[in-house]
Amino acid sequence: MNKSEFLIKYHHLRQVENEPDFPLKSSGKPAAVLIPILQYPDELRVVFTVRAKHLKHHGGQISFPGGKKEVSDLSLARTALRETFEEIGIAPDKVEIIGHLPVYRTISGFEVTPYIGFISAPLKIEVDKNEVDETFEVPLTFLLNTNNHYTHWMKRKNYQTPVYFIQWHKYSIWGATAAFIRNLSHHFK
């Protein structure tokens, strides 16, 4: 799949389903992530981060670069770009945002907007070791194949909720990060 094929599938007129998120009792804290898609000559690959193990929240987990909206952020798209630059050194002018997925509410009280951004490869990533231990890439075609997705149902706070998993070599992509990928995959059915 190349960028043109991706855009044709992503920007279509039919309604796509979304995975259930966590039903917050009140408005969540606004946050944003970037789904960075690297354009190689022969394929598209997605960059993931492994959060630094010493972090108080979600240490060692796999995520997309992103975080909560700061007062200085003019928009959630700016939040995603700022956090991407801070965490893995990709400058905002290197990212072409082509859209976003629906807001996804998390059990930790955030309302996360995932933005989709294309980046020309190869790419020099500069990891901020205070936030990220490492990065890795996964072929987009692997991620969009729902045969590679697994769902486990859990009961949390008297609510039955799905937890999604995608295994890539030694990396277990799960939770909201996997849900973002699942929501993206619905555009490609």
Side-chain angles (χ1 to χ4, degrees):
M1 174 183 309
N2 61 32
K3 181 180 176 184
S4 295
E5 293 166 333
F6 179 95
L7 291 173
I8 288 168
K9 290 281 193 174
Y10 176 73
H11 292 294
H12 53 71
L13 296 178
R14 72 177 170 84
Q15 182 71 31
V16 295
E17 63 182 288
N18 294 309
E19 298 303 327
D21 57 6
F22 192 79
L24 299 175
K25 289 184 170 64
S26 60
S27 295
K29 299 167 280 216
V33 298
L34 180 71
I35 301 175
I37 300 177
L38 297 182
Q39 297 176 75
Y40 286 95
D42 57 344
E43 73 175 335
L44 300 176
R45 297 179 70 85
V46 178
V47 177
F48 291 88
T49 64
V50 178
R51 290 175 52 83
K53 289 177 187 64
H54 70 268
L55 293 174
K56 182 178 177 182
H57 300 290
H58 310 293
Q61 291 182 6
I62 293 168
S63 64
F64 289 118
K68 67 180 179 181
K69 185 175 191 262
E70 300 292 340
V71 175
S72 60
D73 293 333
L74 300 176
S75 67
L76 284 169
R78 295 277 188 179
T79 300
L81 292 170
R82 175 184 53 76
E83 289 280 351
T84 299
F85 181 67
E86 290 174 5
E87 292 178 18
I88 59 175
I90 300 173
D93 65 344
K94 300 291 183 195
V95 180
E96 177 190 0
I97 291 184
I98 57 97
H100 63 82
L101 298 173
V103 171
Y104 189 89
R105 299 170 298 173
T106 67
I107 194 168
S108 54
F110 287 94
E111 292 182 346
V112 183
T113 302
Y115 286 87
I116 301 164
F118 278 89
I119 304 163
S120 294
L123 176 70
K124 183 176 183 213
I125 291 179
E126 296 178 20
V127 170
D128 176 352
K129 288 295 188 179
N130 288 320
E131 297 192 52
V132 175
D133 279 343
E134 64 177 301
T135 63
F136 64 97
E137 299 174 16
V138 180
L140 180 64
T141 53
F142 178 88
L143 294 169
L144 296 180
N145 182 344
T146 55
N147 291 325
N148 297 323
H149 302 181
Y150 304 95
T151 305
H152 176 74
W153 288 89
M154 296 182 65
K155 190 170 187 176
R156 290 181 150 170
K157 298 184 179 182
N158 295 321
Y159 178 74
Q160 194 74 2
T161 182
V163 180
Y164 306 104
F165 294 86
I166 303 168
Q167 192 67 37
W168 174 254
H169 300 294
K170 69 177 185 175
Y171 302 104
S172 184
I173 304 162
W174 67 281
T177 304
F180 302 152
I181 294 297
R182 283 185 60 85
N183 281 339
L184 179 60
S185 74
H186 296 315
H187 289 265
F188 295 85
K189 289 183 177 177

